[in-house]
Structures are given as C-alpha cells and as structure tokens.
Amino acid sequence: MAQRDDVLYHIICGASAAARADAFAERAKRAGWDVCVVATPMATRFVDLGRLAVLTGRPVRYDFKNPGEEDVFPPPNAIAVAPATFNTINKWAAGISDTLALALLCEHLTSRVPIVIAPKVNASLTAHPQYPRSVAELRSCGVQVLDPGTYASTNAAGPTQLWDRVLEALPTLRAKCHA
C-alpha cells in the first residue's frame, strides 16, 4: 500500500457530542482528508456506525483486530480526538491502552503523527486534581489540546463550533505531516 499524506484518524469518545460525529466526517472529507473512524466502546452507544462507515468508505473500528488479520486503515498522518472524555484523557496520559482507541493514542503519542484533542469534560471533572496533570502531560508530548470552550456553541445540528475548531487545527497538523 502506497504511503498517503491525507489520512486522518478520528477517535470518538462516549460523550453527547459524539452523536454528531457524522458532521465532522463530512466536513473533514470536504477538506480533503481520508477519514478513518475509531470509537471507544462507550462511543458506540452514541454514534451511527453504519452512517459513519458509508460517509468514510471504511468500517468504524472499535475493537482490536485478530492476530494475522490485515489492517483496514492506512497509517495516520494526523489524529483528532473529538470529543475527548475525562476517562480517555486520563487513561491516555497514564499509558493505559485497554481499548483500541487508547492503544492507538498511546502508540502515536511519541510518534511524529500530530494529534489534536477537543476535551468534553464537565466543570466538576476538570476540577479533579488528576485532570490538569493529564492535560499537561499530553501537551508536553506535543498534543494540541483545544480550549474546553470549544463546546460552547451547540444547536440542533450538533456541536458545530467543536467541529469547526478541530478542522481549523487540521491545516496546522497537515503542515507538520510534511515537515
């Protein structure tokens, strides 16, 4: 398989904003990205797996593949984690890889693959003492963490500001892919 320069892994965590992940896939595709979706087990309760598969032209992955089974995704050039939950952020920073999404994030944390995350964490959990330490740890590894205000604007079409902010970060990520 030839190396591509437009592959975006969209990691989706289990938060209400995940229900409109299809809007992000559509926007990212229009922006020229080949989108590969990986959902946490909890996110599978929020997303329409069939619709995402149709939009991206690939199955949505949420579990590990069997040994010897060919990977259905090309290697990523960038990763967007949106929405990123308290659980995923803390486990990732601690190096816990008990789901496919976390395993991929842990694997790419110190690679040259640029990563942007849009946390969807309530105020009570952001006040937990571990959360700012985890965010700081990820930032120290080069992860671009968007401001929690990313979710401030929602409407019937979903968290539009979230998808726009993540897409605004992607050209920067794409430039890093070619560095």
Coordinates of all heavy atoms in Angstrom, one line a residue, residues 65-114:
K65 N -8.2 -5.9 16.2 CA -8.3 -6.9 15.1 C -7.7 -8.2 15.6 O -6.9 -8.3 16.6 CB -7.7 -6.5 13.8 CG -6.2 -6.2 13.9 CD -5.6 -5.7 12.6 CE -4.1 -5.5 12.6 NZ -3.4 -6.8 12.6
N66 N -8.0 -9.3 14.9 CA -7.5 -10.6 15.3 C -6.0 -10.7 14.8 O -5.7 -10.1 13.8 CB -8.3 -11.8 14.7 CG -9.7 -11.8 15.3 OD1 -9.8 -11.7 16.5 ND2 -10.7 -12.1 14.5
P67 N -5.2 -11.5 15.5 CA -3.8 -11.7 15.0 C -3.8 -12.2 13.6 O -4.6 -13.1 13.2 CB -3.2 -12.8 16.0 CG -4.1 -12.7 17.2 CD -5.5 -12.3 16.7
G68 N -2.9 -11.6 12.8 CA -2.8 -12.0 11.4 C -3.8 -11.4 10.5 O -3.6 -11.5 9.2
E69 N -4.8 -10.7 11.0 CA -5.8 -10.0 10.2 C -5.2 -8.7 9.6 O -4.5 -8.0 10.4 CB -7.0 -9.7 11.1 CG -8.2 -9.3 10.4 CD -9.4 -9.1 11.3 OE1 -9.5 -9.9 12.3 OE2 -10.2 -8.2 11.1
E70 N -5.5 -8.5 8.4 CA -4.9 -7.3 7.7 C -5.7 -6.0 8.3 O -6.9 -6.1 8.6 CB -5.2 -7.3 6.2 CG -4.5 -6.2 5.5 CD -4.6 -6.3 4.0 OE1 -4.6 -7.5 3.5 OE2 -4.6 -5.3 3.3
D71 N -4.9 -5.0 8.5 CA -5.5 -3.7 9.0 C -6.3 -3.1 7.9 O -5.8 -3.0 6.7 CB -4.4 -2.8 9.5 CG -4.9 -1.7 10.4 OD1 -6.1 -1.4 10.4 OD2 -4.1 -1.1 11.2
V72 N -7.5 -2.6 8.2 CA -8.3 -1.9 7.2 C -8.0 -0.4 7.0 O -8.5 0.2 6.1 CB -9.8 -2.1 7.5 CG1 -10.2 -3.6 7.4 CG2 -10.2 -1.6 8.8
F73 N -7.2 0.1 7.9 CA -6.8 1.5 7.8 C -5.4 1.7 7.4 O -4.5 1.0 7.9 CB -7.0 2.2 9.2 CG -8.4 2.4 9.7 CD1 -8.6 2.8 11.0 CD2 -9.5 2.1 8.9 CE1 -9.8 2.9 11.5 CE2 -10.7 2.3 9.4 CZ -10.9 2.7 10.7
P74 N -5.1 2.7 6.5 CA -3.7 3.1 6.3 C -3.2 3.8 7.5 O -3.9 4.2 8.4 CB -3.8 4.0 5.1 CG -5.2 4.5 5.1 CD -6.0 3.5 5.8
P75 N -1.8 3.9 7.6 CA -1.3 4.7 8.8 C -1.8 6.1 8.8 O -1.9 6.7 7.7 CB 0.2 4.6 8.6 CG 0.4 3.5 7.6 CD -0.8 3.4 6.8
P76 N -2.0 6.7 10.0 CA -2.5 8.1 10.0 C -1.4 9.1 9.8 O -0.2 8.9 10.1 CB -3.0 8.2 11.5 CG -2.1 7.3 12.2 CD -1.8 6.1 11.3
N77 N -1.8 10.3 9.2 CA -0.9 11.4 9.1 C -1.3 12.5 10.2 O -0.5 13.4 10.5 CB -1.1 12.1 7.8 CG -0.7 11.1 6.7 OD1 -1.5 10.6 6.0 ND2 0.6 10.8 6.5
A78 N -2.5 12.3 10.8 CA -2.9 13.2 11.8 C -4.0 12.5 12.6 O -4.7 11.6 12.0 CB -3.5 14.5 11.3
I79 N -4.2 12.9 13.8 CA -5.3 12.3 14.7 C -6.0 13.4 15.3 O -5.5 14.3 15.9 CB -4.7 11.3 15.7 CG1 -3.9 10.2 15.1 CG2 -5.7 10.8 16.7 CD1 -3.1 9.3 16.0
A80 N -7.4 13.3 15.3 CA -8.3 14.2 16.0 C -9.1 13.4 17.0 O -9.7 12.4 16.6 CB -9.2 14.9 15.0
V81 N -9.0 13.8 18.3 CA -9.8 13.1 19.3 C -10.9 14.1 19.7 O -10.7 15.1 20.4 CB -9.0 12.7 20.5 CG1 -9.8 11.9 21.5 CG2 -7.7 12.0 20.1
A82 N -12.1 13.8 19.2 CA -13.2 14.7 19.5 C -14.6 14.0 19.4 O -14.8 13.4 18.4 CB -13.2 15.8 18.4
P83 N -15.3 14.0 20.5 CA -15.0 14.6 21.8 C -14.0 13.7 22.6 O -14.0 12.5 22.4 CB -16.3 14.6 22.5 CG -17.1 13.5 21.9 CD -16.7 13.4 20.4
A84 N -13.2 14.3 23.4 CA -12.3 13.6 24.2 C -12.8 13.7 25.7 O -13.0 14.8 26.2 CB -10.9 14.2 24.2
T85 N -13.0 12.5 26.3 CA -13.6 12.5 27.6 C -12.5 12.5 28.7 O -11.4 12.2 28.5 CB -14.5 11.2 27.8 OG1 -13.7 10.1 27.6 CG2 -15.7 11.3 26.8
F86 N -13.0 12.8 29.9 CA -12.2 12.7 31.1 C -11.5 11.3 31.2 O -10.3 11.3 31.5 CB -13.1 13.0 32.3 CG -12.4 12.8 33.7 CD1 -11.7 13.9 34.2 CD2 -12.6 11.7 34.4 CE1 -11.2 13.8 35.5 CE2 -12.0 11.5 35.7 CZ -11.3 12.6 36.2
N87 N -12.2 10.3 31.0 CA -11.7 8.9 31.1 C -10.6 8.7 30.1 O -9.5 8.2 30.5 CB -12.8 7.9 30.9 CG -12.4 6.5 31.2 OD1 -11.9 6.2 32.2 ND2 -12.7 5.6 30.2
T88 N -10.8 9.0 28.9 CA -9.8 8.8 27.8 C -8.6 9.6 28.1 O -7.4 9.2 27.9 CB -10.4 9.0 26.4 OG1 -11.4 8.1 26.2 CG2 -9.4 8.9 25.3
I89 N -8.8 10.9 28.4 CA -7.6 11.8 28.6 C -6.7 11.3 29.7 O -5.5 11.2 29.6 CB -8.1 13.2 28.9 CG1 -8.7 13.8 27.6 CG2 -7.0 14.1 29.4 CD1 -9.5 15.1 27.8
N90 N -7.3 10.9 30.9 CA -6.5 10.4 32.0 C -5.9 9.1 31.7 O -4.7 8.9 32.1 CB -7.4 10.4 33.3 CG -7.7 11.8 33.8 OD1 -6.8 12.6 33.8 ND2 -8.9 12.0 34.2
K91 N -6.6 8.2 31.1 CA -6.0 6.8 30.8 C -4.9 7.0 29.8 O -3.8 6.4 29.9 CB -7.1 5.9 30.2 CG -8.0 5.3 31.3 CD -8.9 4.3 30.6 CE -9.6 3.4 31.6 NZ -10.4 2.4 30.9
W92 N -5.1 7.8 28.8 CA -4.0 8.0 27.8 C -2.8 8.6 28.4 O -1.7 8.1 28.1 CB -4.6 8.9 26.7 CG -3.7 9.3 25.5 CD1 -2.6 8.6 25.1 CD2 -3.9 10.4 24.6 NE1 -2.1 9.2 24.0 CE2 -2.9 10.3 23.7 CE3 -4.9 11.4 24.5 CZ2 -2.8 11.2 22.6 CZ3 -4.8 12.3 23.5 CH2 -3.7 12.2 22.6
A93 N -2.9 9.6 29.2 CA -1.8 10.2 29.8 C -1.0 9.3 30.7 O 0.2 9.3 30.9 CB -2.2 11.5 30.6
A94 N -1.8 8.3 31.3 CA -1.2 7.3 32.2 C -0.6 6.1 31.4 O 0.0 5.2 32.0 CB -2.2 6.8 33.2
G95 N -0.8 6.1 30.1 CA -0.3 5.0 29.3 C -1.2 3.7 29.4 O -0.7 2.6 29.0
I96 N -2.4 3.9 29.7 CA -3.3 2.7 29.7 C -3.9 2.5 28.3 O -4.5 3.5 27.8 CB -4.4 2.9 30.8 CG1 -3.8 3.0 32.2 CG2 -5.5 1.8 30.7 CD1 -4.7 3.5 33.3
S97 N -3.8 1.3 27.8 CA -4.3 1.1 26.5 C -5.3 -0.1 26.4 O -5.0 -1.1 25.7 CB -3.1 0.8 25.5 OG -2.4 -0.3 26.0
D98 N -6.3 0.0 27.2 CA -7.3 -1.1 27.3 C -8.4 -1.1 26.3 O -9.3 -2.0 26.3 CB -7.8 -1.2 28.7 CG -8.6 0.0 29.2 OD1 -8.5 1.0 28.4 OD2 -9.2 0.0 30.3
T99 N -8.4 -0.2 25.4 CA -9.3 -0.2 24.2 C -8.5 0.1 23.0 O -7.3 0.6 23.1 CB -10.4 0.9 24.4 OG1 -9.7 2.2 24.3 CG2 -11.1 0.8 25.7
L100 N -9.0 -0.2 21.8 CA -8.3 0.1 20.6 C -8.0 1.6 20.5 O -6.9 1.9 20.1 CB -9.2 -0.4 19.4 CG -8.6 0.0 18.0 CD1 -7.2 -0.7 17.8 CD2 -9.6 -0.3 16.9
A101 N -9.0 2.4 20.8 CA -8.7 3.9 20.7 C -7.5 4.3 21.6 O -6.6 5.0 21.1 CB -10.0 4.6 21.1
L102 N -7.5 3.8 22.8 CA -6.4 4.2 23.7 C -5.1 3.6 23.2 O -4.0 4.2 23.3 CB -6.7 3.8 25.1 CG -7.6 4.7 25.9 CD1 -8.2 4.0 27.1 CD2 -6.9 6.0 26.2
A103 N -5.1 2.3 22.7 CA -3.9 1.7 22.2 C -3.3 2.5 21.1 O -2.1 2.8 21.0 CB -4.2 0.3 21.8
L104 N -4.2 3.0 20.1 CA -3.7 3.8 19.0 C -3.1 5.1 19.5 O -2.1 5.6 19.1 CB -4.8 4.0 18.0 CG -5.2 2.8 17.2 CD1 -6.5 3.1 16.4 CD2 -4.1 2.4 16.3
L105 N -3.8 5.7 20.5 CA -3.4 7.0 21.0 C -2.0 6.8 21.7 O -1.1 7.6 21.6 CB -4.4 7.6 21.9 CG -5.7 8.1 21.2 CD1 -6.7 8.5 22.2 CD2 -5.3 9.3 20.3
C106 N -1.9 5.8 22.5 CA -0.6 5.5 23.2 C 0.5 5.3 22.2 O 1.6 5.8 22.4 CB -0.8 4.4 24.2 SG -1.7 4.8 25.7
E107 N 0.2 4.5 21.2 CA 1.2 4.2 20.2 C 1.7 5.4 19.5 O 2.9 5.5 19.2 CB 0.6 3.2 19.2 CG 1.5 2.8 18.0 CD 0.8 1.9 17.1 OE1 -0.2 1.2 17.5 OE2 1.1 1.9 15.9
H108 N 0.8 6.4 19.2 CA 1.2 7.5 18.4 C 1.6 8.8 19.3 O 2.0 9.8 18.7 CB 0.0 7.9 17.5 CG -0.1 6.9 16.4 ND1 -1.0 5.9 16.4 CD2 0.6 6.8 15.2 CE1 -0.8 5.1 15.3 NE2 0.1 5.7 14.6
L109 N 1.5 8.7 20.6 CA 1.8 9.8 21.4 C 3.2 10.4 21.2 O 3.4 11.6 21.1 CB 1.6 9.5 22.9 CG 1.9 10.6 23.9 CD1 0.9 11.8 23.6 CD2 1.7 10.1 25.3
T110 N 4.2 9.5 21.0 CA 5.6 9.9 20.8 C 6.0 9.8 19.4 O 7.2 9.9 19.1 CB 6.5 9.2 21.8 OG1 6.4 7.8 21.6 CG2 6.2 9.5 23.2
S111 N 5.1 9.5 18.5 CA 5.5 9.4 17.1 C 5.4 10.8 16.5 O 5.1 11.8 17.2 CB 4.5 8.5 16.3 OG 3.2 9.2 16.2
R112 N 5.7 10.9 15.2 CA 5.7 12.3 14.6 C 4.3 12.6 14.1 O 4.1 13.6 13.5 CB 6.7 12.3 13.4 CG 8.1 12.3 13.9 CD 9.1 12.4 12.8 NE 8.8 13.4 11.8 CZ 9.2 14.7 11.9 NH1 9.9 15.1 12.9 NH2 9.0 15.6 10.9
V113 N 3.3 11.7 14.4 CA 1.9 12.0 13.9 C 1.3 13.1 14.8 O 1.2 12.9 16.1 CB 1.1 10.7 14.0 CG1 -0.4 11.0 13.7 CG2 1.6 9.7 13.1
P114 N 0.9 14.2 14.3 CA 0.3 15.3 15.1 C -1.1 14.9 15.6 O -1.8 14.2 14.8 CB 0.3 16.5 14.1 CG 0.6 16.0 12.8 CD 1.1 14.6 12.9

